Amino acid sequence: MAVSLRLGRQGILFGLKLSSFNKCLRLRHPSQASVRYLFQSPWMLAVSPVKVQMPALSPTMEEGNIVKWLKKEGEAVAAGDALCEIETDKAVVTMESNDDGILAKILMEEGSRNVRLGTLIALMVEEGQDWKQVEIPPPDAAPPSAVLPAGPASVLTSPAPSTSPPPKPVKSGQLRLSPAARHILDTHGIDPKLATPTGPRGLITKEDALNLLKTSPASKAMPAMVSPAGPPPVPSSVPTSAAPPPPPSSRPNIPPLSIPGKPGAQGTFTEIPASNVRRVIAQRLTQSKTTIPHSYASIDCDMAAVMQLRKDLGKEQIKVSVNDFIIKAAAVTLKEMPKVNVTWFDDGPHALDSIHISIAVATDKGLITPIIRDAANKGVQEISANAKTLAQKARDGKLLPEEYQGGSFSISNLGMFGISGFSAVINPPQACILAVGTSRTELQLNEDDQTLRTQQLMTVTLSSDGRLVDDELASRFLDKFRANLEQPQRMALA
């Protein structure tokens, strides 16, 4: 008992001395109070987030559009759950979550366009954490001359106010704009420095750009440089004749179009924003026509046997189209002539082991080519079912990446539009594309009995890469294709 009392007194004395020491320390170092306030502030208590970035949903994708968020802020998310719908350069793809947690903050709202790969689009927190206290991380490339805000956090840097240089003027590269805001301001030629940012960390949002557009729709002049902390300048009224030239980064002022035959009359135009699909189509078509030496060859095919076989199958409630027979004939011909089933890469030609036929489908957003895989090993009825399913998914924008990537040969059929014949552009890195026109009825003289008979002819044109398929090989391919199509019994239908 005596030992316990003695230890208790010593503990009390030690506690009193420690308390006095802490009190003395606080008096001698008043900045400790600021440090204690910093670590007790909500900024230090913020929850560390899990970043959700714009993914690459196709090999050629460089940016995407946020179509729709399928989860709301504060909603629980499990790995594999659909987070949002993203429009890529090919289709609208559903993005799935890779982690379990809670969706804490949506940084890119629905309708955000041209979001680059790797851009932070949302934040998640782990289950059990307060999602409302999520910490929004700073931008990855913060300017080195950024000045920390005044307050308790300034004790961590201890700047010398008397020797620090004045803040540098804001440069255009240091502005933070959402994709929608950048598009609006670039379209109307308005300097983004005139906008008042209301988004997180000084982000200029779509609403900020629209508000600026309402107040100064014709603003073209470059304003004076301002400091990061100062308010945006108010544009002064300057006569049109004295206005300075537009900045190099702004869009040039294009004069109105003139109307031929009417001197002095001027027309107008409306700029249409290009979708991701349309931009990629333009890039690939330009790449194809400028880097691939196109060769063309046409041939007429007699479709009488195919038409009769379709009629016979229809009696058995088997509905197939002429295009299904064309797909089958092309696949069988490629199997018989593997030299045409090739592709060109940087180091030269590559022979392909599989025969995947890409079929061109017209959609509201442009042309897309879903793939009939292993078409040579499928019957016409199975090809028909696959083609219908893929075409509908293409029009709905629901194609999966594996359903439109990796084709070896393309077919484009415009016969349903009454086109008699045309030449198609090769879909790189493929070597060929077959353009199919409509069938037509022609009279032909029978040399045996000198009688007239009707023929149902269809013109097909093969566009081939001259580096891989020369004219002689292309001619033999078309001749073999015609033989297969005119005698459909030679092709396996089961």
Side-chain angles (χ1 to χ4, degrees):
M1 180 63 69
V3 175
S4 300
L5 290 174
R6 185 164 55 252
L7 290 176
R9 294 192 189 97
Q10 291 178 354
I12 293 172
L13 292 174
F14 178 76
L16 292 174
K17 292 180 179 180
L18 182 61
S19 176
S20 300
F21 176 77
N22 289 339
K23 183 177 180 181
C24 179
L25 183 63
R26 284 196 299 269
L27 292 175
R28 292 183 180 180
H29 301 278
S31 63
Q32 295 293 330
S34 298
V35 176
R36 185 172 64 254
Y37 171 80
L38 168 64
F39 283 93
Q40 292 177 352
S41 64
W43 181 79
M44 290 300 295
L45 297 177
V47 178
S48 179
V50 177
K51 296 181 179 180
V52 180
Q53 298 174 324
M54 174 64 73
L57 300 175
S58 74
T60 56
M61 177 181 173
E62 296 180 356
E63 56 189 23
N65 303 334
I66 306 295
V67 178
K68 182 180 180 181
W69 280 98
L70 305 177
K71 294 289 185 179
K72 299 179 181 179
E73 293 183 357
E75 190 172 350
V77 178
D81 285 355
L83 277 180
C84 63
E85 293 180 352
I86 297 176
E87 180 189 3
T88 70
D89 54 347
K90 297 291 186 180
V92 177
V93 182
T94 300
M95 175 185 172
E96 298 180 353
S97 175
N98 296 325
D99 303 287
D100 298 331
I102 299 175
L103 182 60
K105 185 67 177 177
I106 295 176
L107 301 178
M108 290 293 174
E109 300 292 339
E110 294 181 0
S112 298
R113 302 181 60 84
N114 306 331
V115 183
R116 303 290 298 179
L117 297 184
T119 301
L120 196 61
I121 62 175
L123 298 174
M124 291 177 55
V125 297
E126 297 179 359
E127 295 181 1
Q129 292 181 330
D130 187 1
W131 62 273
K132 295 182 180 179
Q133 298 294 334
V134 65
E135 176 186 356
I136 300 178
D140 295 335
S145 60
V147 180
L148 292 177
S154 61
V155 300
L156 299 178
T157 57
S158 301
S162 59
T163 59
S164 59
K168 297 181 180 180
V170 173
K171 298 181 181 179
S172 59
Q174 297 176 354
L175 293 176
R176 301 186 64 254
L177 292 83
S178 69
R182 186 182 300 277
H183 174 73
I184 292 173
L185 297 178
D186 289 348
T187 301
H188 294 85
I190 299 177
D191 195 336
K193 291 179 185 158
L194 297 176
T196 302
T198 60
R201 307 186 307 280
L203 178 69
I204 299 176
T205 64
K206 176 182 178 181
E207 289 73 18
D208 301 334
L210 292 176
N211 292 334
L212 177 61
L213 185 61
K214 293 177 182 178
T215 57
S216 55
S219 177
K220 301 282 184 180
M222 171 68 78
M225 295 294 185
V226 297
S227 62
V234 179
S236 58
S237 58
V238 181
T240 306
S241 59
S249 60
S250 65
R251 180 167 300 190
N253 187 12
I254 302 176
L257 300 176
S258 60
I259 301 178
K262 295 183 179 180
Q266 292 181 337
T268 59
F269 66 91
T270 302
E271 184 174 359
I272 303 175
S275 64
N276 288 347
V277 176
R278 179 58 60 187
R279 276 198 300 270
V280 171
I281 290 176
Q283 293 172 359
R284 291 179 64 82
L285 289 179
T286 303
Q287 173 193 359
S288 177
K289 293 296 289 185
T290 55
T291 62
I292 297 177
H294 282 57
S295 296
Y296 306 100
S298 299
I299 199 169
D300 289 335
C301 303
D302 190 352
M303 303 300 293
V306 170
M307 295 299 184
Q308 183 61 43
L309 183 56
R310 282 190 65 211
K311 185 182 297 184
D312 296 339
L313 293 175
K315 296 177 182 179
E316 302 178 9
Q317 303 301 318
I318 299 177
K319 296 182 179 181
V320 291
S321 68
V322 173
N323 200 54
D324 301 328
F325 284 95
I326 295 172
I327 295 172
K328 179 64 178 180
V332 171
T333 307
L334 287 172
K335 189 174 183 179
E336 295 173 344
M337 301 183 63
K339 290 184 179 180
V340 183
N341 193 37
V342 294
T343 185
W344 182 275
F345 286 99
D346 294 336
D347 54 347
H350 286 206
L352 301 176
D353 298 329
S354 56
I355 298 175
H356 302 326
I357 304 297
S358 302
I359 55 174
V361 177
T363 68
D364 295 338
K365 299 179 180 179
L367 201 68
I368 192 169
T369 53
I371 296 171
I372 307 291
R373 296 190 174 274
D374 298 321
N377 299 325
K378 294 180 179 178
V380 176
Q381 189 174 4
E382 186 178 1
I383 289 176
S384 178
N386 290 353
K388 291 177 182 177
T389 301
L390 291 171
Q392 188 60 46
K393 293 181 69 174
R395 296 186 185 98
D396 296 339
K398 300 298 183 181
L399 283 175
L400 300 176
E402 59 269 19
E403 292 176 330
Y404 57 79
Q405 297 174 9
S408 58
F409 187 95
S410 292
I411 295 177
S412 179
N413 191 343
L414 296 181
M416 68 285 295
F417 300 108
I419 303 300
S420 58
F422 68 103
S423 301
V425 181
I426 297 173
N427 184 20
Q430 298 176 11
C432 299
I433 182 171
L434 190 68
V436 181
T438 187
S439 61
R440 64 191 185 277
T441 301
E442 290 188 1
L443 289 175
Q444 187 174 5
L445 179 65
N446 192 340
E447 297 180 356
D448 296 334
D449 53 5
Q450 298 297 311
T451 59
L452 293 176
R453 64 185 183 92
T454 59
Q455 277 187 315
Q456 198 78 11
L457 298 181
M458 181 186 70
T459 301
V460 297
T461 302
L462 181 70
S463 303
S464 56
D465 186 342
R467 300 170 299 179
L468 298 168
V469 180
D470 56 24
D471 294 339
E472 187 271 338
L473 182 59
S475 301
R476 288 196 293 112
F477 176 86
L478 285 176
D479 187 62
K480 179 72 69 174
F481 170 82
R482 178 175 60 182
N484 288 327
L485 192 61
E486 291 182 349
Q487 302 177 30
Q489 294 82 1
R490 295 179 54 182
M491 301 182 295
L493 302 180

